Amino acid sequence: MEKMERNDFGVSRRLRAWYEENRRDLPWRATRSPYLIWVSEIILQQTRVDQGLAYYLRFVGRFPDVASLAAADEDEVLRYWQGLGYYSRARNLRAAAIDVMTRFGGVFPKRYEDVRSLKGVGEYTAAAIVSFAWNEPKAVVDGNVYRVLARLFAVETPIDTGEGKRLFAALAADVMDPREAATHNQAIMELGALVCSPRDPSCDACPLVTDCLAHAVGRERAFPVKRGRVKRRSRFFLYLYIIYKGRTWLRRREPGDIWAGLYEFPMVETERAVAEEEVATRPEARALVGEGFRIVATRMGVKHVLSHQDLFLSFLKIEITEPTPALKAYLETPVDALPSFAMPQPLHQYCSREGREGREKVSKG
């Protein structure tokens, strides 16, 4: 591989000059607080900036510092995370905040190794925190950086291999001016987000276009190289919103699957989508609703896309004549209390819609 003027940091200079002219005005860039930078990086791990901004402002509005996050109970943290998905991130944030309070006396650690030791903080996040907060010379490597470097140097090594991760870490450090780590890291990530995009890179607007080996041979879209993709799977969830005298039932999802720790209605996972009339033929559903029940409303086949799964959710709103023994395994709660529970986003949206329609019926009545 050609060594492209990396020793005089020409790439870094052009990147930083471009960044100063084109950077987006984002709240976590206006602070040196390692806590606020940390929260923003965790949110942006699986969320685009335009989507994550409102969630960031809401989250730090309620938990403005490590102490407030550490003191909160898990359910409240999950409620404020609701809609962002990958809820283990929120649980890890809270656990790490407690660790900062107990192990570091409430002061966010400054050493890279200490930051890396916090739960849920990987190499990229630790590098981002120490470089953005203290200008420590740690190069960040996220998806945007992989893409920029893979195209810049036409790297054929797959990014999802051990060899690839080591190679790109070395390249990222090689092109970074260690005296300007914070600005350089922000710049290369911003370039990947705004210019060196996955499908249609704006090469004419790129400050590195004259150095880019992939552009020189017209193969920008061939990089970065990946070894393989995870096969997607489809799952079908039948939710039973069971109502009896203004009360309903929930359960908390167990660890080891999606949405662990969040609340949901009684659910039957099926091998395929089911029709409304099939509910009465399923023993697990009949055990929950009993013999005397009435289906009030249905919402069938709502698609919800996760990283490696397509979920097809069906909701049946059911009124029962009396609680069944099977419901004793669930948490009984007033229907009006549903907004206080941390739920997966599609269930939260369903409950919000049901609540809105219920209020409209009352006002019209």
Side-chain angles (χ1 to χ4, degrees):
M1 183 184 305
E2 183 181 350
K3 298 279 285 183
M4 272 193 305
E5 299 188 64
R6 296 200 295 270
N7 55 347
D8 70 351
F9 308 118
V11 166
S12 184
R13 282 200 306 274
R14 288 191 291 279
L15 271 174
R16 287 182 279 117
W18 172 87
Y19 177 70
E20 293 301 333
E21 292 291 328
N22 297 277
R23 58 182 290 177
R24 288 172 290 181
D25 184 16
L26 300 170
W28 48 84
R29 288 180 176 163
T31 180
R32 291 284 186 171
S33 163
Y35 170 77
L36 296 177
I37 293 167
W38 171 45
V39 172
S40 73
E41 289 300 328
I42 298 299
I43 287 177
L44 296 177
Q45 281 177 2
Q46 303 288 346
T47 311
R48 297 197 310 272
V49 168
D50 57 343
Q51 292 177 323
L53 178 57
Y55 288 102
Y56 167 83
L57 294 174
R58 180 171 177 260
F59 193 88
V60 301
R62 170 59 187 87
F63 311 111
D65 50 37
V66 173
S68 58
L69 180 56
D73 63 54
E74 183 176 294
D75 280 354
E76 185 182 18
V77 174
L78 291 175
R79 283 201 304 275
Y80 275 83
W81 199 263
Q82 196 164 263
L84 282 168
Y86 299 90
Y87 291 89
S88 61
R89 293 183 294 166
R91 284 188 289 272
N92 289 342
L93 266 173
R94 177 176 173 270
I98 294 171
D99 192 17
V100 170
M101 296 303 296
T102 56
R103 185 155 56 107
F104 298 102
V107 178
F108 203 94
K110 187 173 180 179
R111 291 178 64 249
Y112 171 84
E113 293 77 13
D114 291 334
V115 176
R116 179 71 179 83
S117 73
L118 297 174
K119 190 168 185 178
V121 176
E123 293 178 357
Y124 158 75
T125 303
I129 293 169
V130 299
S131 68
F132 299 159
W134 298 292
N135 201 38
E136 288 294 313
K138 290 288 185 180
V140 299
V141 186
D142 71 345
N144 289 318
V145 176
Y146 274 124
R147 191 163 56 254
V148 170
L149 293 177
R151 289 170 174 170
L152 187 61
F153 297 108
V155 180
E156 299 283 355
T157 307
I159 63 174
D160 54 348
T161 62
E163 180 186 359
K165 292 180 188 302
R166 291 188 293 273
L167 172 59
F168 280 94
L171 284 175
D174 223 2
V175 300
M176 181 187 74
D177 185 339
R179 300 163 298 184
E180 301 287 348
T183 305
H184 171 92
N185 282 336
Q186 292 278 19
I188 194 168
M189 292 164 64
E190 192 81 330
L191 186 75
L194 300 184
V195 174
C196 196
S197 55
R199 293 183 179 83
D200 296 303
S202 302
C203 297
D204 291 343
C206 180
L208 305 180
V209 66
T210 57
D211 291 324
C212 182
L213 298 183
H215 179 75
V217 294
R219 296 185 61 220
E220 297 93 341
R221 292 167 184 79
F223 301 97
V225 177
K226 290 187 178 180
R227 179 176 54 185
R229 298 185 179 274
V230 177
K231 185 178 180 180
R232 299 190 65 80
R233 60 184 291 214
S234 295
R235 299 174 72 181
F236 302 88
F237 293 177
L238 175 64
Y239 282 109
L240 307 178
Y241 178 21
I242 302 170
I243 298 176
Y244 175 73
K245 294 183 177 180
R247 304 184 72 80
T248 190
W249 285 264
L250 299 171
R251 72 169 179 180
R252 195 167 193 169
R253 289 187 63 88
E254 297 293 330
D257 199 357
I258 59 170
W259 300 333
L262 301 185
Y263 289 90
E264 66 180 359
F265 296 123
M267 184 269 287
V268 178
E269 184 166 0
T270 61
E271 68 283 355
R272 57 176 176 78
V274 298
E276 175 184 340
E277 56 270 17
E278 291 184 72
V279 176
T281 67
R282 291 193 166 266
E284 59 269 63
R286 286 299 294 271
L288 290 164
V289 300
E291 297 298 324
F293 68 91
R294 181 172 74 93
I295 298 178
V296 179
T298 62
R299 193 171 178 218
M300 311 298 285
V302 177
K303 187 176 182 180
H304 185 71
V305 178
L306 300 178
S307 57
H308 303 309
Q309 301 183 34
D310 293 323
L311 306 182
F312 296 89
L313 315 177
S314 295
F315 298 89
L316 273 68
K317 186 177 182 180
I318 301 173
E319 291 182 350
I320 59 175
T321 56
E322 61 178 345
T324 63
L327 289 175
K328 291 181 180 179
Y330 293 79
L331 173 66
E332 184 178 351
T333 183
V335 169
D336 293 344
L338 287 177
S340 66
F341 289 90
M343 291 183 172
Q345 185 66 359
L347 273 80
H348 172 69
Q349 291 172 340
Y350 172 80
C351 289
S352 298
R353 176 178 172 179
E354 284 295 311
R356 185 169 59 251
E357 291 177 353
R359 289 190 296 272
E360 289 174 353
K361 287 179 181 179
V362 170
S363 64
K364 290 178 180 178

